Amino acid sequence: MNKKIAYITGATSGIGKATAQKLASEGFNLIITGRREDRLEAIKTQLSSDFGIDVLTQNYDITKRKEVEASIHSLPSEWKQIDVLLNNAGLASGLNTIYEGDIDDWEKMIDTNIKGLLYVTRTLAPIMITNNKGHIVNIGSIAGKEVYANGNVYCSTKFAVDALSKAMRLEFSKFPIKVTSINPGAVETEFSIVRFHGDEERAKTVYEGYDNLVPEDIADAIWYVVSRPARVNINEMIVMPTAQPMAGVINRK
Ligand code: NDP
Ligand code: 8X3
């Protein structure tokens, strides 16, 4: 394969899907993952036909360690030449105080945002080290830099992603593998629908009265960091809506 390869977790929606589109338009072959197989297949068909690239799908639940490991180990050798790993799959579940929060919500966020990211990274990193190349891009959040009321456990998972990004950068630079964290503010995706357990009306209110980010804004930032020369690493980026100066503060019209 003479094209670069990107491995994108959580490519069925939102930021992951927009990044798949952007990297496909820049000539990358893609490995796209997620639980919704019908969406993976539809995206594969569209991107292959629009951009003439090769797309491989991996349909697994990132919280299931054995599924993650088996899927990655099953990659054909030519697909193991991964240039970019986008650790994007993640979610918020619930928005509540610690004294009233739902522990099932907490476990879902911890299992997905921290443990899932670690399962993928632990399985793929040795392959990247053998290849002697790679760029890991972790999707953190402004919620991993500042806390906001009722964000508690979601924020803590993203603080963990921030710490893991820094640790990875320390440990991987000698190979050399780049590590970048991208930390967005409010982006209109399926994020709030998932956070509010399918309540689409409530999810809409999160994006009312101001210009929220769109997933393509984050895809552009990701393209910027992965297209720098070999000598340049962008350690981290915080990308916010102009109307959101910090986590939990939005200037609505
Ligand atoms: P979406 O809900 O639109 O997309 C989330 C993606 O993650 C989907 O493709 C979903 O795939 C995948 N995913 C979730 N859980 C699992 C799982 N257990 N196994 C495999 N895949 C999973 O949200 P966003 O695009 O907004 O979220 C992407 C990332 O961006 C997340 O890490 C989020 O925390 C972060 N983020 C989002 C912000 C926002 O305001 N939207 C701001 C800052 C950061 P599927 O359901 O098919 O499995
Ligand atoms: C999502 C951004 O500010 O809604 O990570 O928590 S925020």
Side-chain angles (χ1 to χ4, degrees):
M1 274 188 213
N2 53 10
K3 289 185 165 77
K4 287 191 169 180
I5 298 174
Y7 190 103
I8 303 178
T9 69
T12 56
S13 170
I15 293 168
K17 183 178 177 188
T19 308
Q21 182 84 21
K22 176 68 182 168
L23 295 187
S25 76
E26 298 292 347
F28 274 71
N29 288 332
L30 300 176
I31 305 162
I32 55 174
T33 84
R35 290 166 301 183
R36 288 170 287 185
E37 191 169 17
D38 53 334
R39 290 198 185 194
L40 290 174
E41 290 309 318
I43 293 165
K44 173 179 174 167
T45 304
Q46 183 240 317
L47 295 181
S48 322
S49 116
D50 287 0
F51 301 108
I53 61 156
D54 293 328
V55 181
L56 191 145
T57 63
Q58 296 218 306
N59 176 216
Y60 61 76
D61 181 336
I62 205 169
T63 67
K64 305 249 167 30
R65 179 175 155 190
K66 297 271 178 253
E67 286 185 25
V68 173
E69 290 170 348
S71 299
I72 292 174
H73 287 141
S74 77
L75 286 171
S77 58
E78 67 272 22
W79 280 100
K80 286 186 172 153
Q81 291 298 317
I82 289 161
D83 296 282
V84 173
L85 162 60
L86 179 63
N87 275 321
N88 164 76
L91 80 177
S93 196
L95 185 67
N96 213 332
T97 59
I98 289 181
Y99 48 88
E100 287 175 330
D102 180 335
I103 293 176
D104 289 337
D105 278 338
W106 297 355
E107 287 183 336
K108 205 182 293 177
M109 291 187 277
I110 291 165
D111 287 350
T112 310
N113 300 355
I114 306 176
K115 293 170 71 177
L117 180 147
L118 282 168
Y119 296 157
V120 171
T121 307
R122 177 64 183 85
T123 314
L124 270 177
I127 296 171
M128 295 173 116
I129 290 168
T130 302
N131 296 343
N132 224 23
K133 65 170 184 178
H135 190 163
I136 299 172
V137 181
N138 292 330
I139 302 298
S141 171
I142 188 61
K145 300 284 183 184
E146 299 155 352
V147 294
Y148 54 89
N150 302 328
N152 43 60
V153 175
Y154 176 68
C155 294
S156 71
T157 66
K158 291 300 185 176
F159 271 71
V161 172
D162 196 44
L164 290 171
S165 297
K166 288 171 177 151
M168 287 180 200
R169 196 152 45 240
L170 269 177
E171 292 168 3
F172 291 166
S173 66
K174 60 175 179 262
F175 290 115
I177 293 171
K178 296 186 187 186
V179 179
T180 299
S181 75
I182 306 274
N183 301 284
V187 189
E188 187 164 7
T189 62
E190 294 176 16
F191 177 85
S192 293
I193 299 173
V194 173
R195 165 168 261 174
F196 299 130
H197 308 119
D199 183 342
E200 297 194 16
E201 286 311 307
R202 187 171 176 202
K204 265 191 219 144
T205 65
V206 174
Y207 308 106
E208 277 171 5
Y210 71 106
D211 279 339
N212 52 263
L213 298 175
V214 295
E216 290 73 20
D217 296 324
I218 307 307
D220 274 350
I222 293 164
W223 168 243
Y224 177 77
V225 305
V226 302
S227 58
R228 293 310 86 210
R231 67 180 178 278
V232 178
N233 185 48
I234 308 297
N235 283 3
E236 58 181 14
M237 260 194 205
I238 297 178
V239 185
M240 301 292 286
T242 306
Q244 185 185 15
M246 61 187 293
V249 177
I250 293 178
N251 292 298
R252 296 176 198 268
K253 290 172 207 124

